[in-house]
Amino acid sequence: MKTDQIEFAPLFWRSLLAGVIAVAVVFPFHYLMRKVALFYSFDHFVSWDSALLFLLILFLLGHFQLSAILLLRDRNESNEVLSTFVGIGLHVEYVKDIVLIFLCCLCSFAAGLALGAEAPSVFMTSLVFGAVFSKLHKSSAMSKEGVRIGGAIGFSLAFHNPLAGLANSFAFAFFRQRRKGEWRVVVSSCLTVILTHLLYSGFRYLAYREDFGLEWWRCFVFHDYSLSLQQFGFASLANVIWMAFLPLITLPLSYIYVKLGSLARKTLWQDNGVSYQLSLFCGVAICFALAFFMPEALGTGAAYFELSESLLDYSIAALFLLLLIRFAFTLFSFSSHFSGGNIIPSLGFGALFAAFLLRLSPFLAEGYETLFVYAFALSFFGFLTGNGLLPLALVFSFGLSPALFVLLLPSSIAAILLSSRVGGFPTLSRALSMADSRHHAFATSRFRLYPFSDIADKAKLITRSYHVQPKV
């Protein structure tokens, strides 16, 4: 069944039902993520006993999630992978996958790994949509479109921003693939994303109303929404128009970031016992050492936005050391077998690099330091994803600043042109997937890499068991 043969009404009401269920899954995930992420920030080194207990807990957290992934043979994939294989009829154990991702990612956040909740949120939501559509309509085409809608809803919930979800899922389709009947999927996504945004906001108000106080409107915006960004309106542009040239720095930096990330992935991430053991023992050792010597290097990286001004109090040497350690730790986290996403860690690295530049030249953006950090990080992120519309949409998550929106336009246009005109433009997700594909890391996994595996491999995959264990 083709997309243009799918009726709007069945697609729409299934999307609404799946959206409600997705919020019931994703909101507890985000709430618990913030709670468990406090664990590594406690003072675990007041005595030898507490330090050893902390080390033991880190080991148990790592051992639990790697054992679960190894035994159950499921992975934190993208909604594109899920959509593709749902479309060709691959059986998916939706509930098991959701539970696995939910628990394993919480282990990563508690340990302080440089992994985010955004990609897992997108994938879990896609699984919810896939489950609802597959159970209520025996059509692989309908289920595939449901997974696509789920990807948009998941990203919008991750950043509490409907525009970001739509831009993430449909930007490439708009610029590259315009299919007949696409309006049904887009309209269903738009209406569902509004419903889920309101429902998610209601849950946020119930959970955080004491923190919001009189600022009840905060339940409708992203958790890390910055009021300080709102002060930078169009009038600020005359003083900061030079920031429009940030792509001259962020583009080559993103290229280096992607290439080194791909190299680390090729070296560390393989589907064998040695690689799993390396992830476990190195991950535990690194998290333990950083918690003792440099705890500010742990976590998703979102704190680098909030603490950008305090980072300017660091000496240049100290900030440079933090930048190097965080970069290496992020690459390790991306290349380990631990569960989590790379969106917020990448944005956090961009913010940290911007703070380093400000420390090198204190007068670079005097009075506009916050604007510089966000502009740099979002410009950097746009080139990492190859999605020029996404940084513009994320402005509404981080802080509605007209100046920031305008300053990002050159980066967005450049990213769109490069990704659409330059074949094989090096985006982070593509580079990591290619690295996995080249050393056959997914050979015994249930999901093979799309679009890097050929049709013959996909056909064989449907008939083979996905519970095959790797040779250890």
Side-chain angles (χ1 to χ4, degrees), residues 147-173:
V147 171
R148 289 184 66 212
I149 298 174
I153 306 306
F155 201 90
S156 70
L157 293 177
F159 284 97
H160 208 191
N161 180 344
L163 287 176
L166 296 173
N168 182 63
S169 291
F170 298 106
F172 288 108

PDB file of all heavy atoms in Angstrom, residues 147-173:
ATOM      1  N   VAL A 147       5.121   5.181  12.448  1.00  0.00           N
ATOM      2  CA  VAL A 147       6.445   5.325  13.044  1.00  0.00           C
ATOM      3  C   VAL A 147       7.042   6.684  12.685  1.00  0.00           C
ATOM      4  O   VAL A 147       7.689   7.337  13.506  1.00  0.00           O
ATOM      5  CB  VAL A 147       7.367   4.174  12.589  1.00  0.00           C
ATOM      6  CG1 VAL A 147       8.805   4.436  13.012  1.00  0.00           C
ATOM      7  CG2 VAL A 147       6.884   2.855  13.181  1.00  0.00           C
ATOM      8  N   ARG A 148       6.839   7.128  11.452  1.00  0.00           N
ATOM      9  CA  ARG A 148       7.340   8.449  11.046  1.00  0.00           C
ATOM     10  C   ARG A 148       6.702   9.553  11.881  1.00  0.00           C
ATOM     11  O   ARG A 148       7.372  10.490  12.330  1.00  0.00           O
ATOM     12  CB  ARG A 148       7.039   8.701   9.562  1.00  0.00           C
ATOM     13  CG  ARG A 148       7.857   7.873   8.600  1.00  0.00           C
ATOM     14  CD  ARG A 148       7.543   8.262   7.168  1.00  0.00           C
ATOM     15  NE  ARG A 148       7.976   9.630   6.902  1.00  0.00           N
ATOM     16  CZ  ARG A 148       7.368  10.452   6.055  1.00  0.00           C
ATOM     17  NH1 ARG A 148       6.277  10.063   5.425  1.00  0.00           N
ATOM     18  NH2 ARG A 148       7.837  11.665   5.852  1.00  0.00           N
ATOM     19  N   ILE A 149       5.396   9.449  12.076  1.00  0.00           N
ATOM     20  CA  ILE A 149       4.717  10.436  12.916  1.00  0.00           C
ATOM     21  C   ILE A 149       5.244  10.359  14.342  1.00  0.00           C
ATOM     22  O   ILE A 149       5.460  11.375  15.004  1.00  0.00           O
ATOM     23  CB  ILE A 149       3.186  10.216  12.885  1.00  0.00           C
ATOM     24  CG1 ILE A 149       2.651  10.406  11.465  1.00  0.00           C
ATOM     25  CG2 ILE A 149       2.481  11.174  13.844  1.00  0.00           C
ATOM     26  CD1 ILE A 149       1.183  10.061  11.307  1.00  0.00           C
ATOM     27  N   GLY A 150       5.468   9.139  14.818  1.00  0.00           N
ATOM     28  CA  GLY A 150       6.015   8.964  16.163  1.00  0.00           C
ATOM     29  C   GLY A 150       7.355   9.639  16.335  1.00  0.00           C
ATOM     30  O   GLY A 150       7.660  10.188  17.399  1.00  0.00           O
ATOM     31  N   GLY A 151       8.182   9.637  15.288  1.00  0.00           N
ATOM     32  CA  GLY A 151       9.465  10.323  15.365  1.00  0.00           C
ATOM     33  C   GLY A 151       9.294  11.816  15.572  1.00  0.00           C
ATOM     34  O   GLY A 151      10.026  12.436  16.355  1.00  0.00           O
ATOM     35  N   ALA A 152       8.323  12.405  14.885  1.00  0.00           N
ATOM     36  CA  ALA A 152       8.058  13.837  15.054  1.00  0.00           C
ATOM     37  C   ALA A 152       7.556  14.139  16.458  1.00  0.00           C
ATOM     38  O   ALA A 152       7.987  15.108  17.103  1.00  0.00           O
ATOM     39  CB  ALA A 152       7.030  14.304  14.018  1.00  0.00           C
ATOM     40  N   ILE A 153       6.656  13.299  16.951  1.00  0.00           N
ATOM     41  CA  ILE A 153       6.116  13.515  18.293  1.00  0.00           C
ATOM     42  C   ILE A 153       7.206  13.343  19.339  1.00  0.00           C
ATOM     43  O   ILE A 153       7.301  14.118  20.298  1.00  0.00           O
ATOM     44  CB  ILE A 153       4.960  12.533  18.578  1.00  0.00           C
ATOM     45  CG1 ILE A 153       3.886  12.623  17.490  1.00  0.00           C
ATOM     46  CG2 ILE A 153       4.363  12.802  19.951  1.00  0.00           C
ATOM     47  CD1 ILE A 153       3.359  14.007  17.242  1.00  0.00           C
ATOM     48  N   GLY A 154       8.050  12.339  19.172  1.00  0.00           N
ATOM     49  CA  GLY A 154       9.113  12.091  20.148  1.00  0.00           C
ATOM     50  C   GLY A 154      10.090  13.240  20.248  1.00  0.00           C
ATOM     51  O   GLY A 154      10.480  13.640  21.350  1.00  0.00           O
ATOM     52  N   PHE A 155      10.475  13.798  19.114  1.00  0.00           N
ATOM     53  CA  PHE A 155      11.418  14.920  19.151  1.00  0.00           C
ATOM     54  C   PHE A 155      10.755  16.165  19.730  1.00  0.00           C
ATOM     55  O   PHE A 155      11.390  16.936  20.462  1.00  0.00           O
ATOM     56  CB  PHE A 155      11.945  15.200  17.738  1.00  0.00           C
ATOM     57  CG  PHE A 155      13.245  15.954  17.722  1.00  0.00           C
ATOM     58  CD1 PHE A 155      14.453  15.272  17.732  1.00  0.00           C
ATOM     59  CD2 PHE A 155      13.270  17.332  17.715  1.00  0.00           C
ATOM     60  CE1 PHE A 155      15.668  15.956  17.727  1.00  0.00           C
ATOM     61  CE2 PHE A 155      14.467  18.026  17.707  1.00  0.00           C
ATOM     62  CZ  PHE A 155      15.666  17.341  17.720  1.00  0.00           C
ATOM     63  N   SER A 156       9.489  16.363  19.413  1.00  0.00           N
ATOM     64  CA  SER A 156       8.793  17.528  19.975  1.00  0.00           C
ATOM     65  C   SER A 156       8.656  17.419  21.485  1.00  0.00           C
ATOM     66  O   SER A 156       8.754  18.416  22.201  1.00  0.00           O
ATOM     67  CB  SER A 156       7.407  17.681  19.328  1.00  0.00           C
ATOM     68  OG  SER A 156       6.533  16.653  19.743  1.00  0.00           O
ATOM     69  N   LEU A 157       8.454  16.205  21.996  1.00  0.00           N
ATOM     70  CA  LEU A 157       8.366  16.015  23.443  1.00  0.00           C
ATOM     71  C   LEU A 157       9.728  16.153  24.099  1.00  0.00           C
ATOM     72  O   LEU A 157       9.841  16.674  25.209  1.00  0.00           O
ATOM     73  CB  LEU A 157       7.776  14.638  23.756  1.00  0.00           C
ATOM     74  CG  LEU A 157       6.314  14.413  23.374  1.00  0.00           C
ATOM     75  CD1 LEU A 157       5.893  12.981  23.687  1.00  0.00           C
ATOM     76  CD2 LEU A 157       5.395  15.398  24.087  1.00  0.00           C
ATOM     77  N   ALA A 158      10.777  15.707  23.417  1.00  0.00           N
ATOM     78  CA  ALA A 158      12.124  15.789  23.980  1.00  0.00           C
ATOM     79  C   ALA A 158      12.538  17.235  24.211  1.00  0.00           C
ATOM     80  O   ALA A 158      13.186  17.554  25.222  1.00  0.00           O
ATOM     81  CB  ALA A 158      13.119  15.099  23.054  1.00  0.00           C
ATOM     82  N   PHE A 159      12.175  18.122  23.282  1.00  0.00           N
ATOM     83  CA  PHE A 159      12.515  19.538  23.415  1.00  0.00           C
ATOM     84  C   PHE A 159      11.289  20.390  23.745  1.00  0.00           C
ATOM     85  O   PHE A 159      11.382  21.620  23.728  1.00  0.00           O
ATOM     86  CB  PHE A 159      13.177  20.047  22.136  1.00  0.00           C
ATOM     87  CG  PHE A 159      14.603  19.605  21.982  1.00  0.00           C
ATOM     88  CD1 PHE A 159      14.917  18.494  21.216  1.00  0.00           C
ATOM     89  CD2 PHE A 159      15.622  20.285  22.621  1.00  0.00           C
ATOM     90  CE1 PHE A 159      16.235  18.071  21.080  1.00  0.00           C
ATOM     91  CE2 PHE A 159      16.943  19.872  22.498  1.00  0.00           C
ATOM     92  CZ  PHE A 159      17.249  18.767  21.725  1.00  0.00           C
ATOM     93  N   HIS A 160      10.168  19.730  24.039  1.00  0.00           N
ATOM     94  CA  HIS A 160       8.919  20.421  24.373  1.00  0.00           C
ATOM     95  C   HIS A 160       8.647  21.539  23.372  1.00  0.00           C
ATOM     96  O   HIS A 160       8.383  22.677  23.729  1.00  0.00           O
ATOM     97  CB  HIS A 160       8.985  20.976  25.802  1.00  0.00           C
ATOM     98  CG  HIS A 160       7.648  21.080  26.439  1.00  0.00           C
ATOM     99  ND1 HIS A 160       7.431  21.742  27.612  1.00  0.00           N
ATOM    100  CD2 HIS A 160       6.429  20.614  26.055  1.00  0.00           C
ATOM    101  CE1 HIS A 160       6.163  21.675  27.944  1.00  0.00           C
ATOM    102  NE2 HIS A 160       5.536  20.989  27.011  1.00  0.00           N
ATOM    103  N   ASN A 161       8.710  21.168  22.100  1.00  0.00           N
ATOM    104  CA  ASN A 161       8.656  22.147  21.024  1.00  0.00           C
ATOM    105  C   ASN A 161       8.065  21.487  19.784  1.00  0.00           C
ATOM    106  O   ASN A 161       8.747  20.722  19.098  1.00  0.00           O
ATOM    107  CB  ASN A 161      10.079  22.666  20.748  1.00  0.00           C
ATOM    108  CG  ASN A 161      10.138  23.694  19.646  1.00  0.00           C
ATOM    109  OD1 ASN A 161       9.221  23.851  18.855  1.00  0.00           O
ATOM    110  ND2 ASN A 161      11.247  24.397  19.576  1.00  0.00           N
ATOM    111  N   PRO A 162       6.800  21.760  19.459  1.00  0.00           N
ATOM    112  CA  PRO A 162       6.183  21.138  18.283  1.00  0.00           C
ATOM    113  C   PRO A 162       6.927  21.415  16.983  1.00  0.00           C
ATOM    114  O   PRO A 162       7.060  20.530  16.135  1.00  0.00           O
ATOM    115  CB  PRO A 162       4.781  21.771  18.252  1.00  0.00           C
ATOM    116  CG  PRO A 162       4.500  22.131  19.672  1.00  0.00           C
ATOM    117  CD  PRO A 162       5.826  22.558  20.234  1.00  0.00           C
ATOM    118  N   LEU A 163       7.430  22.636  16.806  1.00  0.00           N
ATOM    119  CA  LEU A 163       8.141  22.974  15.574  1.00  0.00           C
ATOM    120  C   LEU A 163       9.406  22.128  15.405  1.00  0.00           C
ATOM    121  O   LEU A 163       9.748  21.720  14.298  1.00  0.00           O
ATOM    122  CB  LEU A 163       8.503  24.458  15.559  1.00  0.00           C
ATOM    123  CG  LEU A 163       7.354  25.443  15.336  1.00  0.00           C
ATOM    124  CD1 LEU A 163       7.867  26.868  15.439  1.00  0.00           C
ATOM    125  CD2 LEU A 163       6.679  25.202  13.996  1.00  0.00           C
ATOM    126  N   ALA A 164      10.104  21.883  16.510  1.00  0.00           N
ATOM    127  CA  ALA A 164      11.335  21.095  16.434  1.00  0.00           C
ATOM    128  C   ALA A 164      11.033  19.667  15.984  1.00  0.00           C
ATOM    129  O   ALA A 164      11.781  19.086  15.194  1.00  0.00           O
ATOM    130  CB  ALA A 164      12.034  21.087  17.789  1.00  0.00           C
ATOM    131  N   GLY A 165       9.947  19.095  16.474  1.00  0.00           N
ATOM    132  CA  GLY A 165       9.586  17.744  16.068  1.00  0.00           C
ATOM    133  C   GLY A 165       9.270  17.648  14.591  1.00  0.00           C
ATOM    134  O   GLY A 165       9.719  16.737  13.893  1.00  0.00           O
ATOM    135  N   LEU A 166       8.492  18.604  14.096  1.00  0.00           N
ATOM    136  CA  LEU A 166       8.134  18.597  12.684  1.00  0.00           C
ATOM    137  C   LEU A 166       9.354  18.852  11.807  1.00  0.00           C
ATOM    138  O   LEU A 166       9.514  18.230  10.748  1.00  0.00           O
ATOM    139  CB  LEU A 166       7.060  19.657  12.423  1.00  0.00           C
ATOM    140  CG  LEU A 166       5.721  19.417  13.146  1.00  0.00           C
ATOM    141  CD1 LEU A 166       4.796  20.616  12.952  1.00  0.00           C
ATOM    142  CD2 LEU A 166       5.057  18.140  12.642  1.00  0.00           C
ATOM    143  N   ALA A 167      10.229  19.776  12.225  1.00  0.00           N
ATOM    144  CA  ALA A 167      11.428  20.074  11.447  1.00  0.00           C
ATOM    145  C   ALA A 167      12.362  18.870  11.406  1.00  0.00           C
ATOM    146  O   ALA A 167      12.981  18.579  10.375  1.00  0.00           O
ATOM    147  CB  ALA A 167      12.154  21.277  12.043  1.00  0.00           C
ATOM    148  N   ASN A 168      12.459  18.147  12.513  1.00  0.00           N
ATOM    149  CA  ASN A 168      13.366  17.000  12.565  1.00  0.00           C
ATOM    150  C   ASN A 168      12.900  15.865  11.666  1.00  0.00           C
ATOM    151  O   ASN A 168      13.712  15.201  11.024  1.00  0.00           O
ATOM    152  CB  ASN A 168      13.471  16.498  14.004  1.00  0.00           C
ATOM    153  CG  ASN A 168      14.433  15.336  14.148  1.00  0.00           C
ATOM    154  OD1 ASN A 168      15.623  15.461  13.909  1.00  0.00           O
ATOM    155  ND2 ASN A 168      13.912  14.183  14.538  1.00  0.00           N
ATOM    156  N   SER A 169      11.589  15.647  11.599  1.00  0.00           N
ATOM    157  CA  SER A 169      11.073  14.492  10.861  1.00  0.00           C
ATOM    158  C   SER A 169      10.763  14.776   9.398  1.00  0.00           C
ATOM    159  O   SER A 169      10.842  13.873   8.566  1.00  0.00           O
ATOM    160  CB  SER A 169       9.809  13.955  11.543  1.00  0.00           C
ATOM    161  OG  SER A 169      10.117  13.366  12.776  1.00  0.00           O
ATOM    162  N   PHE A 170      10.409  16.022   9.080  1.00  0.00           N
ATOM    163  CA  PHE A 170       9.905  16.281   7.735  1.00  0.00           C
ATOM    164  C   PHE A 170      10.725  17.286   6.937  1.00  0.00           C
ATOM    165  O   PHE A 170      10.387  17.584   5.796  1.00  0.00           O
ATOM    166  CB  PHE A 170       8.453  16.758   7.813  1.00  0.00           C
ATOM    167  CG  PHE A 170       7.535  15.737   8.408  1.00  0.00           C
ATOM    168  CD1 PHE A 170       7.044  15.887   9.691  1.00  0.00           C
ATOM    169  CD2 PHE A 170       7.190  14.600   7.692  1.00  0.00           C
ATOM    170  CE1 PHE A 170       6.210  14.944  10.248  1.00  0.00           C
ATOM    171  CE2 PHE A 170       6.353  13.645   8.243  1.00  0.00           C
ATOM    172  CZ  PHE A 170       5.863  13.804   9.520  1.00  0.00           C
ATOM    173  N   ALA A 171      11.804  17.818   7.514  1.00  0.00           N
ATOM    174  CA  ALA A 171      12.606  18.792   6.778  1.00  0.00           C
ATOM    175  C   ALA A 171      13.225  18.164   5.537  1.00  0.00           C
ATOM    176  O   ALA A 171      13.189  18.736   4.446  1.00  0.00           O
ATOM    177  CB  ALA A 171      13.701  19.368   7.678  1.00  0.00           C
ATOM    178  N   PHE A 172      13.799  16.967   5.684  1.00  0.00           N
ATOM    179  CA  PHE A 172      14.445  16.327   4.546  1.00  0.00           C
ATOM    180  C   PHE A 172      13.425  15.941   3.479  1.00  0.00           C
ATOM    181  O   PHE A 172      13.701  16.025   2.286  1.00  0.00           O
ATOM    182  CB  PHE A 172      15.222  15.091   5.004  1.00  0.00           C
ATOM    183  CG  PHE A 172      16.461  15.426   5.772  1.00  0.00           C
ATOM    184  CD1 PHE A 172      16.533  15.208   7.147  1.00  0.00           C
ATOM    185  CD2 PHE A 172      17.550  15.973   5.133  1.00  0.00           C
ATOM    186  CE1 PHE A 172      17.665  15.527   7.857  1.00  0.00           C
ATOM    187  CE2 PHE A 172      18.703  16.295   5.834  1.00  0.00           C
ATOM    188  CZ  PHE A 172      18.763  16.068   7.198  1.00  0.00           C
ATOM    189  N   ALA A 173      12.230  15.525   3.922  1.00  0.00           N
ATOM    190  CA  ALA A 173      11.190  15.181   2.961  1.00  0.00           C
ATOM    191  C   ALA A 173      10.768  16.416   2.173  1.00  0.00           C
ATOM    192  O   ALA A 173      10.483  16.352   0.972  1.00  0.00           O
ATOM    193  CB  ALA A 173       9.992  14.574   3.680  1.00  0.00           C
TER     194      ALA A 173
END
